[in-house]
Amino acid sequence: MTSQIIEHSAMPSYVLARNLRGFIASSLFTMFVFMVLTAYLLPFLYMSLTAIKTADQISTGDILPLSPVTFTYEGKELPLYKVPDTDGTMQERALLTGRRNDSVFIDPLHPETPINWEGRWRNLEPVKRIDVHLENFKAASDGINFPRLLTNTIMIAVSGMIGTLISCSLVAYGFSRFPIPGKSILFLILVSTIILPPIVTLIPTYIVFSKIGWTGTWLPLIVPHFFANAYNVFLLRQFFMTIPKDLDEAAMIDGANPFQIFLQIIIPQSLPALVVVSLGHIVFAWNDFFNPFIYLLGEEDKWPISIGIQQYNYIFGTQPNMVQAISLLGLTLPVILFFLAQRVFLQGVVITGVEK
Amino acid sequence: MISQDVSQVEYVEKKPIGRIKGYSLEQRLQLWGWAFISPWIIGFLLFILFPMLASFVISFTDFNLMHPDDVKFVGLKNYIALGSDPMLITATIATLKFALLALPVAIMLPIFLAGLLNASLLKGKRLFLTLFYMPYIVPVVSVVFIWQAYLNQEAGWFNRLLGLIGIQGPNWINSVDFIYPAMVMIGLWGLGNALLITFAAMRGVPTELFEAARVDGASALTIFFKIIIPMISPVIFYNLILSVIGVFRYFEIPYILGRGQGQPGNATYFYSIHLYKNAFTYQEMGYGSTLAWVLFVISLLVTVALFLTSRYWVYNSTGDNQI
């Protein structure tokens, strides 16, 4: 094949050989990375396949959700086996009477003539077909009361998202545009709060929340987000600093006050960064286990999805298919959101400019 | 800088407005600035500074939520009790064992994977990056249950795969030794962000640098270790700091795996779980606060130590440490 190409091309053969070598090297390397990726994501496949099996299908040890195929003969369900025929080919036949050393089979295409076969039928391979049990998801959803968990999670996530958007964009605007005395020290303090383990501040915060009656409600999961957090302030500040100041200045000359400039100039130009913050918060709130665990443990009606999955999976622990179906329900929304907006998720880093 | 520009313009055109309330423009802008950052100032005081000081005070008391109105100062009693708390030793050992195993993986694997993704031989970089990143989005609760089943001794695929190459896999989840590598494997799905920023950093290394090295006859591996790794060392440092902090706050995975009981044995009984148990299960907020402050001081010391060493190995583009 290569020689043909060489004949028809004006390229010298050594260039082509180099290209071909490059192509093969590149294909092999890509294949290798693909294998690494497959190993990395294999538990996903395991989860998905386990979630659509019955307990019987799991116990057989088959990779795929397979079930034995039967053939109805004179009102009886007969199991199908792969039986070697006289000409050496394998035929799918239904077992009518199985004895130790010889058995009677039925050819499903010609059920009128039973076939006698000599050999041990127990050594034959049963015929299996893919048999998917999507009803597991219905059972899992009913079992954990998925609609309620979903509503709770969305309420908590969206309220917190509104708080984060408002507070972080205001604070980031303050840090990016105004001559506050000691601004660089304040900003350093803000960034260094990232490395504070949250469990250090947990106890007094919990005591205060419990004194004012907020434990067992969503408030401890929502209200703190109205007071800005270091990650998002940092991200938004980096973004605001890239917006040219000419527009603010022009608006200021026209008599706009800084808050009007924020609403009418900064915000409309920052939509990509605000989307990053919003999606980031939704995923954070959806995945957050620690805070609802501390504040909502006894309150089953108020659980978000993370607590629901953990609590119900302990109950369903003996049913691997249910555990995996529940785990899959728990990750579907964030993963779909991620694939729909993967550009946004991967862009967050570009905005913060961590690489610089 | 902004304010200077604005004030010059303002000086010409809006002088009267700037003086109306008796404030200069600079002062008015300062006030606006304080107003804008006030949500964070209030949040910092309410949710960080006050709780930290309060937990310091509480650590010298016998505060218990069962009888919150009967609080006495007990001096250093809680701090002395640290010395005679056998579970604290168990928890510290478990945390250290995990840290020793997990930190090298958390630092090196993102570099290795980012190196693969950055190689010019690889086709479809963006798709690979997206798929390698994706598990980072999966809720940690689902991650634990998926991997727990995947690593199951009999039915799990991991041991069946090992079986294909003739290795009899251990009982990962129920062995006091193998639970640590199991937790490291579970942690692999949390590497997405470290991978993403490492990859972005590698893409940002100026290509002139390798071209020059290539002209000098450097091999791909030499370029990787002598040029790329030093150039991305700020990001490696950032990942190191975040991974170390991650160990200090490591709670969900051992808690869900060990059902909050430290199963198997006390292998998943981590420092943060010990703190949680004392403060919330036994409601001993005084002793819990002591544990929290000890954790805070240790994490502060470790972080400061890492920052101090960073000047010897982290590349600084301003050139301050090049001499």
Side-chain angles (χ1 to χ4, degrees), chain B residues 274-316:
Chain B
H274 188 54
L275 201 169
Y276 168 80
K277 282 258 159 186
N278 275 283
F280 292 92
T281 312
Y282 314 136
Q283 312 247 306
E284 294 281 1
M285 297 292 182
Y287 188 57
S289 297
T290 309
L291 290 170
W293 258 84
V294 170
L295 182 68
F296 169 63
V297 171
I298 294 172
S299 61
L300 192 68
L301 289 178
V302 172
T303 320
V304 169
L306 288 175
F307 269 100
L308 289 179
T309 65
S310 73
R311 51 191 293 231
Y312 299 108
W313 64 275
V314 176
Y315 173 74
N316 179 343

Side-chain angles (χ1 to χ4, degrees), chain B residues 64-171:
Chain B
N64 186 311
L65 262 193
M66 310 252 212
H67 41 84
D69 299 322
D70 174 28
V71 184
K72 287 190 302 292
F73 274 94
V74 293
L76 288 171
K77 188 170 162 264
N78 289 328
Y79 287 88
I80 294 163
L82 292 170
S84 56
D85 178 356
M87 288 311 281
L88 176 63
I89 299 167
T90 310
T92 310
I93 291 173
T95 310
L96 284 176
K97 268 192 196 168
F98 174 73
L100 283 178
L101 212 56
L103 286 177
V105 176
I107 304 304
M108 290 191 289
L109 200 62
I111 300 174
F112 171 73
L113 289 177
L116 289 185
L117 294 186
N118 190 39
S120 53
L121 283 175
L122 185 71
K123 301 283 168 236
K125 285 188 166 56
R126 189 169 180 98
L127 183 64
F128 276 112
L129 178 66
T130 307
L131 289 172
F132 271 113
Y133 183 84
M134 186 263 285
Y136 184 71
I137 300 294
V138 175
V140 64
V141 192
S142 292
V143 170
V144 174
F145 287 108
I146 293 167
W147 277 86
Q148 194 173 27
Y150 183 75
L151 293 173
N152 182 289
Q153 189 181 17
E154 305 297 333
W157 281 8
F158 192 72
N159 277 1
R160 289 175 65 181
L161 281 173
L162 288 181
L164 292 181
I165 52 170
I167 300 171
Q168 201 194 344
N171 193 344

Side-chain angles (χ1 to χ4, degrees), chain A residues 131-335:
Chain A
D131 177 24
V132 169
H133 292 269
L134 292 177
E135 72 275 10
N136 286 355
F137 293 110
K138 173 86 174 82
S141 166
D142 292 346
I144 65 173
N145 201 344
F146 187 63
R148 193 193 59 207
L149 295 176
L150 190 67
T151 323
N152 291 351
T153 313
I154 290 174
M155 298 285 284
I156 296 169
V158 170
S159 322
M161 183 191 87
I162 293 169
T164 298
L165 278 178
I166 295 173
S167 61
C168 294
S169 55
L170 286 172
V171 173
Y173 180 54
F175 273 117
S176 70
R177 288 290 201 271
F178 294 89
I180 305 162
K183 187 162 82 168
S184 51
I185 293 170
L186 285 174
F187 195 69
L188 195 70
I189 296 174
L190 170 87
V191 173
S192 62
T193 59
I194 289 178
I195 61 176
L196 185 73
I199 206 159
V200 173
T201 54
L202 178 68
I203 291 173
T205 314
Y206 180 86
I207 294 171
V208 170
F209 281 149
S210 101
K211 286 247 168 174
I212 58 176
W214 283 12
T215 47
T217 74
W218 290 338
L219 292 170
L221 310 182
I222 296 171
V223 174
H225 295 294
F226 281 81
F227 296 93
N229 70 76
Y231 286 105
N232 289 329
V233 169
F234 185 71
L235 186 145
L236 289 173
R237 171 184 170 266
Q238 297 298 94
F239 192 86
F240 292 168
M241 303 226 289
T242 64
I243 299 176
K245 277 153 200 141
D246 316 9
L247 280 172
D248 315 18
E249 284 160 16
M252 203 171 255
I253 290 162
D254 291 344
N257 69 36
F259 189 70
Q260 290 167 326
I261 294 172
F262 171 71
L263 281 185
Q264 289 161 15
I265 293 171
I266 302 292
I267 293 298
Q269 290 192 76
S270 306
L271 293 180
L274 295 172
V275 171
V276 171
V277 170
S278 309
L279 288 180
H281 184 83
I282 297 279
V283 170
F284 159 80
W286 183 279
N287 294 359
D288 183 23
F289 175 80
F290 188 69
N291 291 302
F293 173 72
I294 295 287
Y295 292 108
L296 293 176
L297 203 58
E299 306 284 333
E300 200 170 336
D301 294 342
K302 291 169 187 151
W303 281 351
I305 187 111
S306 55
I307 302 293
I309 294 172
Q310 180 244 1
Q311 295 287 318
Y312 291 113
N313 268 358
Y314 280 0
I315 299 168
F316 288 112
T318 51
Q319 292 168 261
N321 50 351
M322 290 304 280
V323 170
Q324 297 309 315
I326 291 172
S327 302
L328 200 128
L329 284 181
L331 63 80
T332 312
L333 188 121
V335 169

Side-chain angles (χ1 to χ4, degrees), chain A residues 26 30 40 44 46-47 61 177-179 190 195-196 203-204 252-253 287 293 313-314 324 327 334 338 349, chain B residues 2 6 9 14 29-30 40 51 121 123 133 137 139 142 145-146 149 160 188-189 196 245 249 255-256 259:
Chain A
S26 161
T30 305
Y40 190 63
F44 251 104
Y46 172 78
M47 167 201 65
R177 288 290 201 271
F178 294 89
L190 170 87
I195 61 176
L196 185 73
I203 291 173
M252 203 171 255
I253 290 162
N287 294 359
F293 173 72
N313 268 358
Y314 280 0
Q324 297 309 315
S327 302
F338 169 69
V349 178
Chain B
I2 332 149
V6 175
V9 176
K14 292 280 175 184
L29 285 176
Q30 263 187 33
W40 172 67
L121 283 175
K123 301 283 168 236
Y133 183 84
I137 300 294
S142 292
F145 287 108
I146 293 167
R160 289 175 65 181
L188 294 181
W189 275 13
L196 179 60
I245 297 161
R249 60 172 64 170
Y255 188 90
I256 299 167
R259 303 197 156 222

